[in-house]
Amino acid sequence: MFGVIDLPTYLAGLVLIVLLPGPNSLYVLSVAARQGVRAGYTAAAGVWCGDTVLMTLSAAGVASLLKANAVLFGIVKYAGAGYLTWLAIGMLRAAWGMWRTRKERTAEQPAPVAAAQERPYRRALLISLFNPKAILFFVAFFVQFVDPGYAYPALSFVVLGAFAQLASFLYLTALIFSGTRLADAFRRRKRMSATATSAAGVLFLGFAVKLTLASA
């Protein structure tokens, strides 16, 4: 179908890949828990746009360029790790502030950063784009399911990408509505909110370290 081979295997692998936790899904869950459904979908839109850009770059051969050029890969890798570290530090500082004030009466706005300042779409987009391993992954995974003899390989990438985005939409939607259920608990219990924000910050630091140690 449109130059795509072994579609059931692709879909099975895609489900497993989408379900693996990563900075994108963690950020969307965090935003939804702190700011609600609308902000969660705003962040998810950033993830979908970022993934679309990465898929397009992969189809255009940029992933091969990154893999072949160690200097270019290093620049993108450390830029991405630096951005994830910056986000992690912001989360940990916000968590520290919540720990210090956890005995005070719960405020109306539990988010560590105001919605108007955080800009979930832009942050989610940057988190997606500053990940060279994701670009390499898209090529390494997609190319296995494209018929080399098909006359329009770009169409094959579009079909594979559409399935990937559909899976991402369903998964992030589940996370967003799960996050809004956590929001009420966060508003009532500052200790829980501080713990969750601390955990998110530590995980983002882990993602940054993992990306720093990655190789092309």
Side-chain angles (χ1 to χ4, degrees):
M1 182 183 70
F2 302 111
V4 176
I5 57 177
D6 203 2
L7 182 60
T9 301
Y10 169 76
L11 295 177
L14 183 62
V15 169
L16 294 177
I17 291 162
V18 168
L19 291 177
L20 287 175
N24 293 346
S25 57
L26 178 62
Y27 182 68
V28 171
L29 177 61
S30 173
V31 169
R34 292 180 285 111
Q35 300 180 25
V37 171
R38 183 174 181 178
Y41 272 112
T42 300
V47 172
W48 297 325
C49 289
D51 285 348
T52 299
V53 171
L54 294 184
M55 292 176 195
T56 303
L57 292 176
S58 297
V62 173
S64 299
L65 177 62
L66 279 178
K67 191 170 184 178
N69 191 320
V71 174
L72 181 59
F73 180 83
I75 292 173
V76 177
K77 177 177 71 173
Y78 288 113
Y83 185 69
L84 290 177
T85 301
W86 179 74
L87 288 178
I89 292 173
M91 290 180 178
L92 292 174
R93 289 179 62 187
W96 174 246
M98 284 186 280
W99 277 112
R100 292 179 62 185
T101 61
R102 65 185 183 278
K103 293 183 180 180
E104 298 176 5
R105 187 170 60 88
T106 302
E108 290 297 324
Q109 174 54 265
V113 182
Q117 297 175 334
E118 186 168 354
R119 297 180 181 176
Y121 174 84
R122 187 177 69 177
R123 284 199 175 186
L125 178 64
L126 291 175
I127 290 172
S128 296
L129 293 179
F130 280 129
N131 190 352
K133 296 301 290 185
I135 304 177
L136 299 178
F137 161 77
F138 278 125
V139 162
F141 187 62
F142 279 17
V143 73
Q144 301 177 49
F145 302 96
V146 175
D147 184 357
Y150 188 64
Y152 307 101
L155 181 58
S156 303
F157 274 91
V158 169
V159 173
L160 294 173
F163 279 115
Q165 292 289 48
L166 176 60
S168 177
F169 172 81
L170 295 175
Y171 178 57
L172 291 183
T173 293
L175 289 183
I176 288 168
F177 284 96
S178 297
T180 55
R181 290 193 174 189
L182 294 174
D184 289 337
F186 287 168
R187 291 188 180 97
R188 292 193 303 267
R189 302 178 183 177
K190 277 196 171 184
R191 186 186 296 272
M192 180 184 294
S193 182
T195 300
T197 305
S198 299
V202 171
L203 284 174
F204 266 75
L205 278 179
F207 291 135
V209 172
K210 183 179 179 181
L211 182 55
T212 301
L213 298 176
S215 61

